[in-house]
Amino acid sequence: GFANELIKEYPEEFGEILGRRSASEVEQIELLQEVFSDSKLKLLRPFGEPFFYLPASRQAIAHLKKEGINPADLADILKKQQKEFEAIDDRYYDSGCYKGKMKGKYTDFKKQLDKNTELALVYKNYQAGLAEKKFYDFDDMVLQLLKSLQNNPDFLLHLQEKYQYFLVDEHQDTSPLQIELLQRLTAG
């Protein structure tokens, strides 16, 4: 809420989302349905129930944003994990009736890695869809405010002078990104 108020009060400080508005929950879900329909997904779009993983994907994207991980960061993380996975020597059975087959403990990891790779595509396309429709979501507000404070020390100083005290209700539920935002605003 605080970030949204600042975006409305100081729109010129938020060039990336200037002219956009906050997407409602329904609009976010509709956009994700479009992304799921238009993206080439195998694991996240099972036959018979194409939107089964949509709620989990939406939660995962929100979690990634709260951790400050953008689609490009996620893609980099997954590339690194893929290289590490491919470097494992004993992924496949060397002999016996399962020779050449991947060992069970690695098939689960590979499947999760493939799901996360599809999630990275969904995340990237979701962000592109938000921009195209001139939307931003709740977690984008905090990200954009933090980015604006990092890039504009004068704006940060102005807000530090204006808001000298903060009361954080339910602090245990505060995300790392929100904590970073509070630290910036309260640093003196």
Side-chain angles (χ1 to χ4, degrees):
F2 177 69
N4 196 34
E5 284 179 37
L6 292 176
I7 290 168
K8 287 179 181 177
E9 189 174 346
Y10 305 99
E12 67 282 354
E13 301 295 340
F14 302 92
E16 273 186 50
I17 58 173
L18 191 63
R20 295 189 196 183
R21 68 172 177 82
S22 180
S24 70
E25 190 172 335
V26 170
E27 290 167 328
Q28 291 174 37
I29 291 169
E30 287 173 349
L31 176 57
L32 271 174
Q33 286 176 335
E34 287 176 33
V35 168
F36 266 64
S37 296
D38 295 343
S39 301
K40 293 182 181 181
L41 306 174
K42 292 180 183 176
L43 297 171
L44 292 183
R45 196 166 190 265
F47 181 76
E49 193 58 51
F51 300 124
F52 179 78
Y53 287 108
L54 190 142
S57 296
R58 184 168 176 253
Q59 281 184 311
I61 289 169
H63 179 74
L64 288 164
K65 287 183 178 187
K66 286 178 177 131
E67 294 295 322
I69 299 171
N70 65 37
D73 294 337
L74 180 58
D76 291 341
I77 291 166
L78 293 171
K79 283 179 191 173
K80 182 180 175 194
Q81 286 181 350
Q82 182 68 35
K83 283 182 183 179
E84 290 171 358
F85 177 73
E86 289 171 2
I88 299 172
D89 291 336
D90 72 332
R91 285 181 295 156
Y92 297 95
Y93 288 101
D94 294 332
S95 60
C97 62
Y98 297 115
K99 184 177 181 176
K101 299 275 186 190
M102 189 178 292
K103 294 179 181 178
K105 64 182 178 180
Y106 297 119
T107 56
D108 291 341
F109 181 80
K110 176 67 172 148
K111 189 173 185 178
Q112 190 60 51
L113 186 60
D114 291 342
K115 276 184 179 179
N116 287 340
T117 301
E118 287 189 1
L119 176 65
L121 176 66
V122 168
Y123 186 10
K124 177 183 168 195
N125 292 343
Y126 173 70
Q127 288 302 108
L130 285 172
E132 183 181 310
K133 294 181 182 289
K134 301 219 177 267
F135 288 151
Y136 55 84
D137 66 17
F138 177 79
D139 297 305
D140 287 330
M141 291 181 222
V142 177
L143 281 167
Q144 291 299 317
L145 177 54
L146 189 56
K147 188 182 275 188
S148 182
L149 295 177
Q150 289 168 339
N151 296 332
N152 189 343
D154 292 335
F155 183 49
L156 174 60
L157 178 61
H158 173 74
L159 293 179
Q160 286 174 331
E161 290 172 350
K162 183 174 180 176
Y163 300 100
Q164 296 183 8
Y165 301 97
F166 289 92
L167 173 65
V168 181
D169 191 23
E170 301 289 334
H171 189 269
Q172 73 276 8
D173 296 330
T174 306
S175 74
L177 205 61
Q178 291 169 329
I179 289 172
E180 185 178 344
L181 178 61
L182 280 167
Q183 287 173 337
R184 282 200 181 274
L185 288 169
T186 58

